[in-house]
Amino acid sequence: MPPTKTSYVCLPCRASYKQHPDTDRRRVCPRCAKELVHVGSAFAAPRRRDTEAWRTLSVLLHAGIRFHKDCCFGGSGYRPRTLREVRERMTYAARTGTPFERALVLREVPWTGTTGGPVRRRRPGTRSSP
């Protein structure tokens, strides 16, 4: 049985390609001839017009985060989808000293207030007490 295909992306072209994994071969984009980035087999490419999603993806890839399947759960785990989520995790990493690449994959950011305790967030559509 041949090995499964994995995803490679070209960030400048905002294009994704599925190819067989070879460690010997250098991959280049057929559009611009720049080197492709290996992102993993659990990657789902955003639409080419979705510039925010591609910027978010660029931050993740430059931080060393990839989309490889986990043997037990089938997916690659949580990854931020918006720049707002990336900024929240960057702020959390700066305030707590957590490594940036570890903060990026946190599903929920455990915010702390000025006193050091957890901050309670209001749910959308609820009013605060008078």
Side-chain angles (χ1 to χ4, degrees):
M1 186 162 120
T4 59
K5 290 186 176 183
T6 187
S7 294
Y8 294 83
V9 297
C10 177
L11 293 172
C13 295
R14 292 190 226 142
S16 173
Y17 303 97
K18 292 256 185 188
Q19 298 180 2
H20 291 287
D22 280 346
T23 55
D24 302 340
R25 202 171 109 200
R26 182 175 167 257
R27 314 249 177 212
V28 293
C29 177
R31 292 171 167 234
C32 68
K34 292 189 178 178
E35 192 163 356
L36 295 174
V37 179
H38 181 236
V39 292
S41 57
F43 176 72
R47 293 187 182 269
R48 186 170 283 138
R49 291 186 198 133
D50 191 353
T51 56
E52 181 182 0
W54 280 95
R55 286 178 58 197
T56 302
L57 176 63
S58 176
V59 170
L60 292 173
L61 295 177
H62 285 95
I65 310 250
R66 299 295 186 260
F67 298 82
H68 297 289
K69 289 183 180 176
D70 185 7
C71 65
C72 301
F73 302 109
S76 61
Y78 175 79
R79 301 292 186 262
R81 291 183 171 262
T82 64
L83 290 173
R84 179 179 180 208
E85 290 176 345
V86 168
R87 279 191 291 277
E88 285 176 352
R89 281 145 184 81
M90 286 174 68
T91 303
Y92 173 75
R95 287 184 181 171
T96 62
T98 304
F100 182 55
E101 58 275 0
R102 189 176 299 159
L104 277 174
V105 296
L106 290 175
R107 184 172 293 279
E108 299 255 344
V109 179
W111 288 107
T112 57
T114 55
T115 59
V119 173
R120 298 182 72 194
R121 293 192 199 180
R122 286 189 311 119
R123 284 183 278 148
T126 60
R127 295 183 186 195
S128 58
S129 331

